[in-house]
PDB file of all heavy atoms in Angstrom:
ATOM      1  N   SER A 485     -13.098   7.364   6.462  1.00 98.00           N
ATOM      2  CA  SER A 485     -13.501   6.373   5.460  1.00 98.00           C
ATOM      3  C   SER A 485     -12.388   6.224   4.450  1.00 98.00           C
ATOM      4  O   SER A 485     -11.654   7.164   4.171  1.00 98.00           O
ATOM      5  CB  SER A 485     -14.763   6.825   4.738  1.00 98.00           C
ATOM      6  OG  SER A 485     -15.867   6.588   5.549  1.00 98.00           O
ATOM      7  N   GLY A 487     -11.316   4.322   0.617  1.00 98.00           N
ATOM      8  CA  GLY A 487     -11.532   3.495  -0.577  1.00 98.00           C
ATOM      9  C   GLY A 487     -10.180   3.277  -1.224  1.00 98.00           C
ATOM     10  O   GLY A 487      -9.477   4.230  -1.533  1.00 98.00           O
ATOM     11  N   GLU A 489      -7.844   1.885  -4.196  1.00 97.00           N
ATOM     12  CA  GLU A 489      -7.701   1.368  -5.564  1.00 97.00           C
ATOM     13  C   GLU A 489      -6.411   0.559  -5.617  1.00 97.00           C
ATOM     14  O   GLU A 489      -5.351   1.051  -5.263  1.00 97.00           O
ATOM     15  CB  GLU A 489      -7.630   2.536  -6.555  1.00 97.00           C
ATOM     16  CG  GLU A 489      -8.875   3.418  -6.540  1.00 97.00           C
ATOM     17  CD  GLU A 489      -8.621   4.771  -7.202  1.00 97.00           C
ATOM     18  OE1 GLU A 489      -8.357   4.795  -8.406  1.00 97.00           O
ATOM     19  OE2 GLU A 489      -8.691   5.792  -6.496  1.00 97.00           O
ATOM     20  N   PRO A 570     -12.742  -1.406  -4.421  1.00 98.00           N
ATOM     21  CA  PRO A 570     -14.011  -1.591  -3.732  1.00 98.00           C
ATOM     22  C   PRO A 570     -14.678  -0.243  -3.474  1.00 98.00           C
ATOM     23  O   PRO A 570     -14.050   0.810  -3.646  1.00 98.00           O
ATOM     24  CB  PRO A 570     -13.586  -2.208  -2.406  1.00 98.00           C
ATOM     25  CG  PRO A 570     -12.252  -1.604  -2.138  1.00 98.00           C
ATOM     26  CD  PRO A 570     -11.623  -1.298  -3.478  1.00 98.00           C
ATOM     27  N   ILE A 571     -15.910  -0.293  -3.054  1.00 98.00           N
ATOM     28  CA  ILE A 571     -16.568   0.919  -2.556  1.00 98.00           C
ATOM     29  C   ILE A 571     -15.963   1.223  -1.188  1.00 98.00           C
ATOM     30  O   ILE A 571     -15.635   0.305  -0.433  1.00 98.00           O
ATOM     31  CB  ILE A 571     -18.082   0.670  -2.415  1.00 98.00           C
ATOM     32  CG1 ILE A 571     -18.670   0.406  -3.797  1.00 98.00           C
ATOM     33  CG2 ILE A 571     -18.779   1.836  -1.726  1.00 98.00           C
ATOM     34  CD1 ILE A 571     -20.074  -0.116  -3.772  1.00 98.00           C
ATOM     35  N   TYR A 572     -15.821   2.493  -0.890  1.00 98.00           N
ATOM     36  CA  TYR A 572     -15.155   2.851   0.363  1.00 98.00           C
ATOM     37  C   TYR A 572     -15.929   2.393   1.596  1.00 98.00           C
ATOM     38  O   TYR A 572     -17.143   2.248   1.562  1.00 98.00           O
ATOM     39  CB  TYR A 572     -14.889   4.353   0.422  1.00 98.00           C
ATOM     40  CG  TYR A 572     -16.105   5.235   0.532  1.00 98.00           C
ATOM     41  CD1 TYR A 572     -16.561   5.654   1.777  1.00 98.00           C
ATOM     42  CD2 TYR A 572     -16.787   5.666  -0.592  1.00 98.00           C
ATOM     43  CE1 TYR A 572     -17.668   6.475   1.897  1.00 98.00           C
ATOM     44  CE2 TYR A 572     -17.895   6.486  -0.490  1.00 98.00           C
ATOM     45  CZ  TYR A 572     -18.333   6.883   0.742  1.00 98.00           C
ATOM     46  OH  TYR A 572     -19.427   7.684   0.863  1.00 98.00           O
ATOM     47  N   ASN A 618      -8.133   6.716  -0.951  1.00 97.00           N
ATOM     48  CA  ASN A 618      -9.129   7.792  -0.939  1.00 97.00           C
ATOM     49  C   ASN A 618      -9.695   7.927   0.458  1.00 97.00           C
ATOM     50  O   ASN A 618     -10.328   6.996   0.964  1.00 97.00           O
ATOM     51  CB  ASN A 618     -10.254   7.474  -1.926  1.00 97.00           C
ATOM     52  CG  ASN A 618      -9.747   7.435  -3.347  1.00 97.00           C
ATOM     53  OD1 ASN A 618      -9.676   8.448  -4.027  1.00 97.00           O
ATOM     54  ND2 ASN A 618      -9.360   6.245  -3.810  1.00 97.00           N
ATOM     55  N   SER A 620     -11.640  10.195   3.585  1.00 98.00           N
ATOM     56  CA  SER A 620     -12.528  11.296   3.977  1.00 98.00           C
ATOM     57  C   SER A 620     -12.950  11.102   5.428  1.00 98.00           C
ATOM     58  O   SER A 620     -12.625  10.093   6.052  1.00 98.00           O
ATOM     59  CB  SER A 620     -13.748  11.351   3.063  1.00 98.00           C
ATOM     60  OG  SER A 620     -14.526  10.194   3.229  1.00 98.00           O
ATOM     61  N   ASN A 628     -20.239  13.939   5.366  1.00 96.00           N
ATOM     62  CA  ASN A 628     -18.823  13.911   4.993  1.00 96.00           C
ATOM     63  C   ASN A 628     -18.233  15.301   5.246  1.00 96.00           C
ATOM     64  O   ASN A 628     -18.594  16.266   4.582  1.00 96.00           O
ATOM     65  CB  ASN A 628     -18.687  13.513   3.519  1.00 96.00           C
ATOM     66  CG  ASN A 628     -17.234  13.526   3.050  1.00 96.00           C
ATOM     67  OD1 ASN A 628     -16.309  13.885   3.798  1.00 96.00           O
ATOM     68  ND2 ASN A 628     -17.026  13.136   1.808  1.00 96.00           N
ATOM     69  N   ARG A 730      -8.069  16.363 -12.831  1.00 68.00           N
ATOM     70  CA  ARG A 730      -7.436  15.086 -12.500  1.00 68.00           C
ATOM     71  C   ARG A 730      -5.937  15.213 -12.671  1.00 68.00           C
ATOM     72  O   ARG A 730      -5.405  14.892 -13.716  1.00 68.00           O
ATOM     73  CB  ARG A 730      -7.998  13.993 -13.400  1.00 68.00           C
ATOM     74  CG  ARG A 730      -9.433  13.674 -13.099  1.00 68.00           C
ATOM     75  CD  ARG A 730      -9.451  12.710 -11.954  1.00 68.00           C
ATOM     76  NE  ARG A 730     -10.724  12.769 -11.248  1.00 68.00           N
ATOM     77  CZ  ARG A 730     -11.190  11.781 -10.514  1.00 68.00           C
ATOM     78  NH1 ARG A 730     -10.502  10.669 -10.413  1.00 68.00           N
ATOM     79  NH2 ARG A 730     -12.319  11.908  -9.866  1.00 68.00           N
ATOM     80  N   ASN A 741     -14.594  15.437  -2.716  1.00 92.00           N
ATOM     81  CA  ASN A 741     -15.142  15.244  -1.370  1.00 92.00           C
ATOM     82  C   ASN A 741     -14.248  14.316  -0.552  1.00 92.00           C
ATOM     83  O   ASN A 741     -14.674  13.721   0.426  1.00 92.00           O
ATOM     84  CB  ASN A 741     -16.568  14.686  -1.436  1.00 92.00           C
ATOM     85  CG  ASN A 741     -16.609  13.327  -2.107  1.00 92.00           C
ATOM     86  OD1 ASN A 741     -15.585  12.825  -2.582  1.00 92.00           O
ATOM     87  ND2 ASN A 741     -17.782  12.721  -2.135  1.00 92.00           N
ATOM     88  N   LYS A 742     -13.013  14.191  -1.002  1.00 95.00           N
ATOM     89  CA  LYS A 742     -12.063  13.310  -0.324  1.00 95.00           C
ATOM     90  C   LYS A 742     -10.648  13.674  -0.765  1.00 95.00           C
ATOM     91  O   LYS A 742     -10.470  14.313  -1.812  1.00 95.00           O
ATOM     92  CB  LYS A 742     -12.345  11.854  -0.687  1.00 95.00           C
ATOM     93  CG  LYS A 742     -12.223  11.575  -2.185  1.00 95.00           C
ATOM     94  CD  LYS A 742     -12.742  10.195  -2.539  1.00 95.00           C
ATOM     95  CE  LYS A 742     -12.464   9.803  -3.975  1.00 95.00           C
ATOM     96  NZ  LYS A 742     -13.279  10.502  -4.969  1.00 95.00           N
ATOM     97  N   GLU A 744      -6.950  12.092  -1.861  1.00 96.00           N
ATOM     98  CA  GLU A 744      -6.447  10.846  -2.424  1.00 96.00           C
ATOM     99  C   GLU A 744      -4.928  10.818  -2.282  1.00 96.00           C
ATOM    100  O   GLU A 744      -4.225  11.598  -2.918  1.00 96.00           O
ATOM    101  CB  GLU A 744      -6.873  10.779  -3.894  1.00 96.00           C
ATOM    102  CG  GLU A 744      -6.500   9.486  -4.577  1.00 96.00           C
ATOM    103  CD  GLU A 744      -7.150   9.339  -5.956  1.00 96.00           C
ATOM    104  OE1 GLU A 744      -8.075  10.108  -6.283  1.00 96.00           O
ATOM    105  OE2 GLU A 744      -6.710   8.460  -6.699  1.00 96.00           O
TER     106      GLU A 744
HETATM  107  P1  LIG B1172     -11.434   7.358  -9.598  1.00 66.40           P
HETATM  108  O1  LIG B1172     -10.510   8.058  -8.668  1.00 66.40           O
HETATM  109  O2  LIG B1172     -10.800   6.182 -10.283  1.00 66.40           O
HETATM  110  O3  LIG B1172     -12.144   8.272 -10.513  1.00 66.40           O
HETATM  111  P2  LIG B1172     -13.470   7.349  -7.592  1.00 66.40           P
HETATM  112  O4  LIG B1172     -12.883   8.626  -7.164  1.00 66.40           O
HETATM  113  O5  LIG B1172     -14.909   7.330  -7.958  1.00 66.40           O
HETATM  114  O6  LIG B1172     -12.603   6.707  -8.747  1.00 66.40           O
HETATM  115  O7  LIG B1172     -13.290   6.273  -6.465  1.00 66.40           O
HETATM  116  C1  LIG B1172     -12.097   5.748  -6.109  1.00 66.40           C
HETATM  117  C2  LIG B1172     -12.268   5.165  -4.745  1.00 66.40           C
HETATM  118  O8  LIG B1172     -12.627   6.210  -3.850  1.00 66.40           O
HETATM  119  C3  LIG B1172     -13.375   4.119  -4.607  1.00 66.40           C
HETATM  120  O9  LIG B1172     -12.932   3.110  -3.752  1.00 66.40           O
HETATM  121  C4  LIG B1172     -14.482   4.910  -3.980  1.00 66.40           C
HETATM  122  O10 LIG B1172     -15.389   4.108  -3.252  1.00 66.40           O
HETATM  123  C5  LIG B1172     -13.698   5.808  -3.064  1.00 66.40           C
HETATM  124  N1  LIG B1172     -14.452   6.948  -2.556  1.00 66.40           N
HETATM  125  C6  LIG B1172     -15.446   7.635  -3.146  1.00 66.40           C
HETATM  126  N2  LIG B1172     -15.943   8.580  -2.307  1.00 66.40           N
HETATM  127  C7  LIG B1172     -15.226   8.482  -1.151  1.00 66.40           C
HETATM  128  C8  LIG B1172     -15.256   9.157   0.101  1.00 66.40           C
HETATM  129  N3  LIG B1172     -16.101  10.137   0.352  1.00 66.40           N
HETATM  130  N4  LIG B1172     -14.370   8.769   1.041  1.00 66.40           N
HETATM  131  C9  LIG B1172     -13.498   7.792   0.807  1.00 66.40           C
HETATM  132  N5  LIG B1172     -13.430   7.130  -0.332  1.00 66.40           N
HETATM  133  C10 LIG B1172     -14.282   7.457  -1.313  1.00 66.40           C
END
Side-chain angles (χ1 to χ4, degrees):
S485 282
E489 300 163 65
I571 296 169
Y572 68 94
N618 296 273
S620 65
N628 177 357
R730 291 277 156 157
N741 62 357
K742 60 190 188 287
E744 184 170 347

